[in-house]
Amino acid sequence: MARRKRTSLVLERAVRRAASINSIDPNLDLGNGLTLPAFSTLIETMRTRENAYNTALSTLDKLYREMLETEGELGDMTEHMLMAVATRYGKSSVEYGMAGGIPKNQRRKRLRGESPTPSTEQPSFVASVENKNGKKPAATS
């Protein structure tokens, strides 16, 4: 998904204002550096920077797509390399294990319904509590 390009509402408003002020006087000088040519220069600077930013986003999108494509190729080749080692040396070989595979003779068969990770069973115990007269208290809920 491409990144959203930026559009500046401030830039659009400034362009409209500059056009309106231009209709008053193209060389209007309001003092303190507030001139129409300075205003127009700043508008063009903003437009240039916005275009550069949006171009950089497009370039970044392209680089990201290329990286994902290369990552997919790398994953495929990784799998092919392991399968080639298995073909040459066998799935029960030490070399297959060295390449990152799980040798066939070291695989554990799972039973149906068993979780993929071995669970650590905690010992179960029941505490017996007696009160002073030697009777076990009744469970209350």
Side-chain angles (χ1 to χ4, degrees):
M1 183 170 121
R3 288 162 174 54
R4 288 186 62 188
K5 306 303 185 263
R6 189 170 192 301
T7 58
S8 173
L9 296 176
V10 173
L11 177 61
E12 291 173 12
R13 190 177 328 130
V15 169
R16 284 193 303 271
R17 179 135 320 141
S20 298
I21 292 173
N22 191 36
S23 67
I24 297 171
D25 181 7
N27 296 317
L28 185 65
D29 185 354
L30 300 171
N32 294 330
L34 298 175
T35 64
L36 188 57
F39 191 44
S40 297
T41 301
L42 191 55
I43 288 171
E44 286 307 312
T45 301
M46 176 59 193
R47 187 174 282 142
T48 302
R49 290 194 175 155
E50 184 181 63
N51 288 339
Y53 176 81
N54 289 336
T55 301
L57 285 180
S58 295
T59 303
L60 186 61
D61 286 338
K62 179 184 174 207
L63 290 172
Y64 182 68
R65 283 191 308 273
E66 289 172 352
M67 182 193 68
L68 290 179
E69 184 179 308
T70 304
E71 185 179 41
E73 291 173 13
L74 181 60
D76 290 344
M77 189 167 187
T78 299
E79 185 178 349
H80 289 137
M81 294 292 286
L82 182 61
M83 292 298 105
V85 169
T87 301
R88 176 170 279 176
Y89 297 103
K91 285 191 173 182
S92 295
S93 67
V94 172
E95 290 83 1
Y96 184 70
M98 290 170 62
I102 298 173
K104 202 173 186 179
N105 55 2
Q106 291 181 6
R107 290 189 196 139
R108 192 177 134 233
K109 301 243 185 223
R110 293 197 182 118
L111 300 175
R112 234 189 253 186
E114 186 178 330
S115 65
T117 57
S119 62
T120 56
E121 292 184 26
Q122 295 184 356
S124 61
F125 61 91
V126 177
S128 177
V129 179
E130 295 180 5
N131 56 14
K132 292 179 186 178
N133 59 8
K135 293 184 180 178
K136 292 185 181 178
T140 59
S141 45

